[in-house]
Amino acid sequence: MTFRKIPHTFLILLTLGASCAYAKKIPKYEQSRALTPEQSALVEKAITREKTLIKEIQTRTPLVETYIQDTRPDVKLYSVPVDDQYMLSRVDFGKGFFDKSYEPRTRATAGKKGFFKGSFASILNLTKLLGLEKFTYSPTGFMQMMFLDPSGFDSQHYVFSYVRREFLGSVRTVVFDVHPKPEVHGMGRFYGRIWIEDQGGNVVRFNGTYTGAGNEDSSKYYFHFDSWRINVQPDIWLPVAVYVEETQRTEGEKSVGLKAQTHFWGYSLKLPTRDSENVSVKVDDAVDKTEDSQDVGPLQASRMWITQAENNVIDRLVEAGLVAPLAQSGYETKVLDQIVINLVVPNNLAFTDQLHTRIILSDTVEATTVGNTILISKGLIDTLPSEEAIASVIAMELAHIAMGHHIDTRYAFNDRLLFPDESTFQRIDMYHSDIDNGTAAKKAMEYLQASMYKDRLANAGLYYAQLVDRAKVLKALNTPKLGDSLIKADGTAWMADLQHMAPPLNWDDLTQRAALPLGSWLKTDPWDDKVQMLDAKQYAPMNARDKMPFEVTPIFYKLQHYDVSAAQPQQAAPPAGADTAAPPAAPAGTASPAAPAQPDNGTPPAIADQPAAAAQNQR
């Protein structure tokens, strides 16, 4: 595992201690009121359920993605990012709590690092052994915010004070303030507020920080965080996301803050073999696609060989939790595949095999191709403000496919994909050369000029202008893990011709949405990794601060109980020609990806417009 130093010599961070942030001496706890018998029974039920949750998580190996933006105050925009860091790990809680980082292709494979086992008090010793006492962010530090207190969350260690009843979405909860008992000593005790759903007694949200040591010489820096869980299966609530924010960690005019999001997914992934370095690859539901002709010619054989490599790679990436599996009528088929058609038809591109689009589940801004499959990251989709901006990305990937810029066909041999999940970035090369990217960018401009998007290319160019501007500080966000960056090594965009068509960036022009915050369009099901569009009310920005391009924002979920009937597969497909539900139309001047309209007279339909994403990630 690689840990990155923070260049602020005055900043002390407890890296493995769940959350660290600037905080002065913890005030004395308010006197708590006695709970009613009903409230006490709910608290005891929550304590029992918390122990059950820990046992449930011990059987899982989820992926944990943390993206951090360091910020500084700004007079106009309130705060702006000045640096960033990105971490992706697969966590094995089965034996002593370990994480396995998905190391990028430019780094050496890191070894295992201990997480925690038994008590938060052991964090101090582990931190010292790893040499991480100061200036460091650790993936395991952010993972730890999945839990309240895995070793001592009970009535013997904590005081509970009733606050109120509150709905989180459709889930009715009872809210309690929680703090350690005065006589309880030690680091890492939770101090804050919890939400307990009143049906099963599960803690579905907790918001606060962790207590420091009792003496004045110990670290005073603790992050504040907001941790959410959702009902992923009947009677199973699991962590889904954590938001961390510190507006000020140091005193003075040049104070540095941070915002971070941690997301969890892949709970139902096939568990890797812990006693072996190899992971088997299994391809289900193979379909015989034999054509009418009895023989295969050389050109067709070459293309089929590439397709075999493509299928092997995609299957391996899905198994590793890095690419979303296809969902019936999912975002890929309803939106992205339709934009592909909108580019292919007017350009008379004749592909022998069907083109597909898939979503890379990371927040990094990247795209690539595997055979006839276009891969676009969730972070890239989330930040694209309009259909024409998405089309510009797809156009470049189409050019790669049309010009024969395919991946190495060595992956047609399945044994080359037998490696641990965390080695995926190092073992699978899907990035294109600079020469290929340059020629693809030029060809993409030709495709766009001949398409239905030709009159809206200036809007698409705004995205690249904003990306180039923010890429100067958001280097981790623009460092691809599997594919290609949209930015050249010199800091310019591959689609610079498109950027030059755009008007100047203007923060005061509220109709100009160059790029959106992270998490604006898609959500990932933490259980099965499928992606869906957010069903959220959209708001237009009221000021420059509401734009937040490429920024981390707070997380809120409208929780609901798991619906068994809704999870059952549909028995029959809708009748031909039936209308599909579409999001509401956008206000004038805004356009964003949405569900495709039904084709009319054989003409590929445009994607319906949708309003710009809200400032907050409502779910």
Side-chain angles (χ1 to χ4, degrees):
M1 183 190 305
T2 302
F3 299 89
R4 182 178 177 185
K5 298 295 182 69
I6 305 299
H8 303 292
T9 56
F10 46 79
L11 180 60
I12 301 177
L13 292 175
L14 178 61
T15 59
L16 295 182
S19 27
C20 308
Y22 179 75
K24 295 184 178 180
K25 185 177 180 180
I26 298 175
K28 293 182 179 180
Y29 305 122
E30 294 183 2
Q31 185 175 0
S32 61
R33 298 180 298 275
L35 301 180
T36 65
E38 180 184 14
Q39 293 165 356
S40 296
L42 184 61
V43 167
E44 291 301 322
K45 190 173 184 179
I47 290 171
T48 301
R49 294 298 299 169
E50 197 68 13
K51 295 177 181 178
T52 302
L53 168 71
I54 294 174
K55 292 180 180 179
E56 176 67 32
I57 290 180
Q58 285 178 323
T59 67
R60 308 290 169 186
T61 59
L63 278 82
V64 184
E65 178 191 57
T66 296
Y67 179 57
I68 308 165
Q69 289 182 348
D70 291 325
T71 62
R72 64 168 174 78
D74 184 86
V75 174
K76 188 179 189 65
L77 304 177
Y78 182 70
S79 71
V80 293
V82 294
D83 195 10
D84 68 338
Q85 297 185 49
Y86 178 88
M87 296 170 282
L88 179 65
S89 298
R90 181 88 172 265
V91 189
D92 185 350
F93 296 109
K95 296 181 180 179
F97 298 90
F98 291 98
D99 83 281
K100 299 178 181 180
S101 296
Y102 281 66
E103 292 297 331
R105 53 182 175 250
T106 56
R107 298 179 183 176
T109 302
K112 296 179 180 179
K113 296 293 189 294
F115 184 19
F116 65 84
K117 185 177 182 180
S119 173
F120 272 51
S122 64
I123 293 169
L124 283 179
N125 292 332
L126 184 57
T127 301
K128 292 177 181 179
L129 289 173
L130 296 175
L132 304 173
E133 295 96 328
K134 299 180 181 180
F135 321 138
T136 313
Y137 289 130
S138 165
T140 50
F142 288 89
M143 293 172 196
Q144 209 166 301
M145 293 178 241
M146 302 168 74
F147 307 97
L148 283 160
D149 183 341
S151 61
F153 183 67
D154 51 43
S155 300
Q156 287 71 45
H157 294 88
Y158 286 93
V159 175
F160 299 83
S161 179
Y162 172 79
V163 178
R164 61 176 178 269
R165 291 182 177 272
E166 181 178 337
F167 275 93
L168 295 179
S170 62
V171 175
R172 187 172 55 192
T173 67
V174 182
V175 186
F176 294 89
D177 282 336
V178 179
H179 65 77
K181 289 186 175 181
E183 64 271 18
V184 174
H185 302 289
M187 297 280 290
R189 299 292 181 185
F190 177 73
Y191 172 42
R193 180 164 290 185
I194 64 174
W195 284 254
I196 305 174
E197 54 97 14
D198 62 359
Q199 287 190 18
N202 296 281
V203 176
V204 298
R205 180 187 182 189
F206 51 103
N207 177 301
T209 185
Y210 292 94
T211 60
N215 61 74
E216 294 294 328
D217 295 331
S218 297
S219 173
K220 302 177 183 178
Y221 298 91
Y222 291 87
F223 292 156
H224 289 80
F225 62 94
D226 192 13
S227 187
W228 291 79
R229 298 166 178 174
I230 67 173
N231 194 187
V232 296
Q233 290 287 291
D235 203 33
I236 299 178
W237 291 78
L238 292 175
V240 62
V242 179
Y243 175 69
V244 177
E245 178 181 294
E246 293 298 336
T247 56
Q248 180 176 312
R249 290 179 292 166
T250 58
E251 297 184 7
E253 295 182 357
K254 296 184 178 180
S255 62
V256 177
L258 74 84
K259 295 186 294 182
Q261 287 183 358
T262 295
H263 290 96
F264 309 92
W265 72 84
Y267 283 112
S268 66
L269 283 177
K270 176 184 175 182
L271 299 185
T273 304
R274 295 179 183 138
D275 298 328
S276 172
E277 285 299 302
N278 288 338
V279 182
S280 62
V281 178
K282 181 182 179 181
V283 180
D284 295 325
D285 302 325
V287 179
D288 183 5
K289 296 183 178 180
T290 304
E291 298 180 355
D292 294 334
S293 58
Q294 296 182 352
D295 299 311
V296 176
L299 178 58
Q300 185 182 5
S302 297
R303 289 173 175 172
M304 292 176 66
W305 188 245
I306 294 172
T307 299
Q308 182 170 314
E310 169 190 355
N311 292 337
N312 286 346
V313 169
I314 294 296
D315 290 337
R316 186 65 185 89
L317 293 176
V318 170
E319 183 184 356
L322 298 174
V323 168
L326 281 177
Q328 184 179 10
S329 300
Y331 179 82
E332 301 93 328
T333 56
K334 292 177 65 177
V335 178
L336 299 183
D337 285 355
Q338 183 60 51
I339 296 178
V340 170
I341 295 174
N342 294 346
L343 291 166
V344 167
V345 172
N347 284 282
N348 297 315
L349 299 177
F351 295 98
T352 56
D353 295 319
Q354 185 177 357
L355 302 180
H356 304 280
T357 54
R358 302 292 288 271
I359 302 295
I360 303 172
L361 292 172
S362 66
D363 273 343
T364 49
V365 175
E366 59 183 296
T368 191
T369 58
V370 182
N372 282 354
T373 298
I374 296 172
L375 289 160
I376 306 178
S377 69
K378 179 180 178 295
L380 176 51
I381 291 292
D382 277 338
T383 56
L384 289 164
S386 62
E387 181 186 339
E388 53 268 23
I390 296 181
S392 69
V393 173
I394 291 178
M396 184 165 173
E397 302 311 316
L398 275 177
H400 279 305
I401 296 174
M403 301 174 78
H405 302 161
H406 55 74
I407 64 168
D408 195 326
T409 54
R410 69 178 184 270
Y411 301 119
F413 295 101
N414 194 67
D415 63 285
R416 296 186 184 276
L417 295 169
L418 299 178
F419 48 75
D421 289 346
E422 62 270 18
S423 300
T424 303
F425 296 153
Q426 297 172 333
R427 301 290 291 273
I428 297 181
D429 295 333
M430 299 198 302
Y431 55 94
H432 297 95
S433 68
D434 288 350
I435 295 176
D436 286 351
N437 279 326
T439 56
K442 293 180 180 179
K443 181 61 69 174
M445 287 300 301
E446 296 178 13
Y447 293 164
L448 291 168
Q449 292 287 3
S451 73
M452 58 183 289
Y453 306 108
K454 61 182 178 181
D455 296 328
R456 292 182 281 166
L457 297 183
N459 290 335
L462 279 170
Y463 180 82
Y464 295 91
Q466 187 71 78
L467 183 67
V468 168
D469 180 68
R470 281 277 163 103
K472 299 172 184 176
V473 294
L474 301 182
K475 295 182 175 61
L477 186 66
N478 287 282
T479 300
K481 306 304 177 185
L482 287 170
D484 300 317
S485 172
L486 275 63
I487 302 294
K488 299 179 185 179
D490 62 4
T492 61
W494 287 110
M495 299 291 286
D497 290 344
L498 206 58
Q499 178 186 342
H500 296 156
M501 300 173 64
L505 293 173
N506 184 354
W507 287 100
D508 295 320
D509 183 357
L510 300 184
T511 64
Q512 187 186 91
R513 297 300 302 273
L516 302 179
L518 291 169
S520 291
W521 288 117
L522 301 179
K523 60 181 179 181
T524 303
D525 189 314
W527 184 257
D528 61 15
D529 300 351
K530 293 178 181 178
V531 293
Q532 300 172 343
M533 283 192 68
L534 294 181
D535 182 13
K537 187 176 181 179
Q538 309 293 337
Y539 298 91
M542 297 181 64
N543 51 64
R545 295 179 179 181
D546 285 347
K547 291 187 175 183
M548 302 179 293
F550 303 103
E551 291 186 24
V552 170
T553 65
I555 297 172
F556 284 89
Y557 285 88
K558 293 185 177 179
L559 301 179
Q560 57 185 357
H561 290 284
Y562 185 81
D563 188 348
V564 178
S565 61
Q568 298 297 326
Q570 297 181 357
Q571 299 299 321
D579 292 336
T580 56
T590 62
S592 294
Q598 292 297 315
D600 186 14
N601 297 327
T603 303
I607 305 301
D609 285 346
Q610 207 178 21
Q616 292 182 346
N617 295 343
Q618 298 189 39
R619 289 163 168 83

